[in-house]
Amino acid sequence: MEVLGRLLALLVLLLLGTGLRTTGVLNTQRTARLNAAAYYVALPALIFVSTYDQAIGDLLSLELLGGLLFVLFSTAGIAWVVHRGRSSTPRRSVAIVQSYHSNLGYLGLPLVAATFGADVTAIASVVLGVVTLTQLPLTIIILSTLNGADAAMSDELHRLATNPVLLALLAGLTIGSIGVTMPPVAATGLDVVGALALPLALLCVGASLQTSARSLELGAAGSVIALKIGCMPLLAWLVFSLLSVDSATFTATVVMLGTPTAVSTFVFATELGGDEEFASLNVFLTTLVSIGTLFVLITLVS
């Protein structure tokens, strides 16, 4: 019941964000400020306090790295086959990337931190880093290739290198690996700031969710939902069971890869010639349906 209560609270925050946007309270400028607070302050703080006291060798293993890459590329490959028959190339490109591109930062990591212990949260931070470094370039390549868009890969790589979430992960792992002791006051302060990551992120996601009846195509949208929050976590469950990883790694990977499609895929679709209305619809639907599927996943792994 506690897990269900948490997930229902997530749904309330999502709907609150949507309602605040609809009423004009969260306009574009205010949403951008809220997003900046989550992206540049709260999420980096959460990641840093989750990793600063652990060495990288204790968190990142060959099994974790290999398993994550296998699940990600396998899901992308399945999505390519499933969506190959879409008549519209912009819609096909969006369907492919949204079938594997996970909302790890704004939903996955904060949810794990709020639900599980420090050991699972630390592994989830590493999962975020590894998958982000992989899925972001893959998404740009697929969208730009299929849609014939001119993507400035150097600019995207520069953004990736200066990503505050990844920099916080690197800083935390570095400090943990060399054994530097953090002052208790600083650690406590960052922990308080990090606790704001989930509510801030959910309000931002809710304020960003938009859909239109014109973009509704049940077959395509249903396939994206099935692959992203059905196939991907199931594949993660099978792979990491076969790898016989510890319980913290298993829990972190299954829950993180069971998150819905990232809101950023809508941005990339808009910039790189994808079907932006369809992209917005899929973000909305996968986020909504994932409230139920994440409850099942968290209950099972717990």
Side-chain angles (χ1 to χ4, degrees), residues 43-67:
L43 278 172
L46 174 59
I47 290 173
F48 183 82
V49 296
S50 301
T51 55
Y52 78 89
D53 58 350
Q54 300 194 56
I56 187 171
D58 297 332
L59 298 176
L60 181 60
S61 63
L62 289 176
E63 290 83 3
L64 176 59
L65 178 61

Side-chain angles (χ1 to χ4, degrees), residues 5-163:
R6 281 202 182 107
L7 289 171
L8 288 176
L10 302 189
L11 180 59
V12 169
L13 283 170
L14 280 170
L15 296 177
L16 177 61
T18 303
L20 290 175
R21 184 205 73 228
T22 303
T23 57
V25 175
L26 278 180
N27 56 27
T28 302
Q29 186 178 21
R30 290 169 184 163
T31 302
R33 290 174 181 171
L34 197 66
N35 184 73
Y39 187 67
Y40 290 100
V41 181
L43 278 172
L46 174 59
I47 290 173
F48 183 82
V49 296
S50 301
T51 55
Y52 78 89
D53 58 350
Q54 300 194 56
I56 187 171
D58 297 332
L59 298 176
L60 181 60
S61 63
L62 289 176
E63 290 83 3
L64 176 59
L65 178 61
L68 287 173
L69 294 179
F70 180 84
V71 173
L72 176 61
F73 284 106
S74 294
T75 306
I78 295 170
W80 188 282
V81 173
V82 169
H83 299 298
R84 71 186 185 281
R86 306 286 169 210
S87 57
S88 167
T89 300
R91 179 158 294 197
R92 176 160 60 98
S93 66
V94 167
I96 292 171
V97 301
Q98 290 192 317
S99 295
Y100 67 80
H101 198 122
S102 304
N103 191 343
L104 302 178
Y106 274 11
L107 183 56
L109 182 62
L111 176 61
V112 168
T115 309
F116 301 100
D119 54 341
V120 179
T121 304
I123 295 294
S125 297
V126 175
V127 171
L128 183 152
V130 171
V131 175
T132 298
L133 286 169
T134 309
Q135 70 179 8
L136 186 56
L138 180 61
T139 290
I140 293 170
I141 290 171
I142 290 175
L143 286 172
S144 59
T145 301
L146 288 180
N147 297 315
D150 184 16
M153 187 61 71
S154 59
D155 291 341
E156 296 299 336
L157 291 176
H158 179 265
R159 290 181 193 175
L160 197 60
T162 56
N163 186 309

Side-chain angles (χ1 to χ4, degrees), residues 178-240:
I178 63 179
V180 175
T181 302
M182 280 285 295
V185 175
T188 301
L190 288 171
D191 196 35
V192 171
V193 175
L196 297 174
L198 185 57
L200 285 177
L202 287 170
L203 286 174
C204 290
V205 171
S208 303
L209 294 179
Q210 300 184 42
T211 185
S212 168
R214 291 179 301 170
S215 61
L216 186 60
E217 184 182 335
L218 292 179
S223 297
V224 172
I225 294 171
L227 287 170
K228 182 65 210 69
I229 58 178
C231 175
M232 196 170 193
L234 177 59
L235 186 58
W237 188 296
L238 294 173
V239 169
F240 286 98

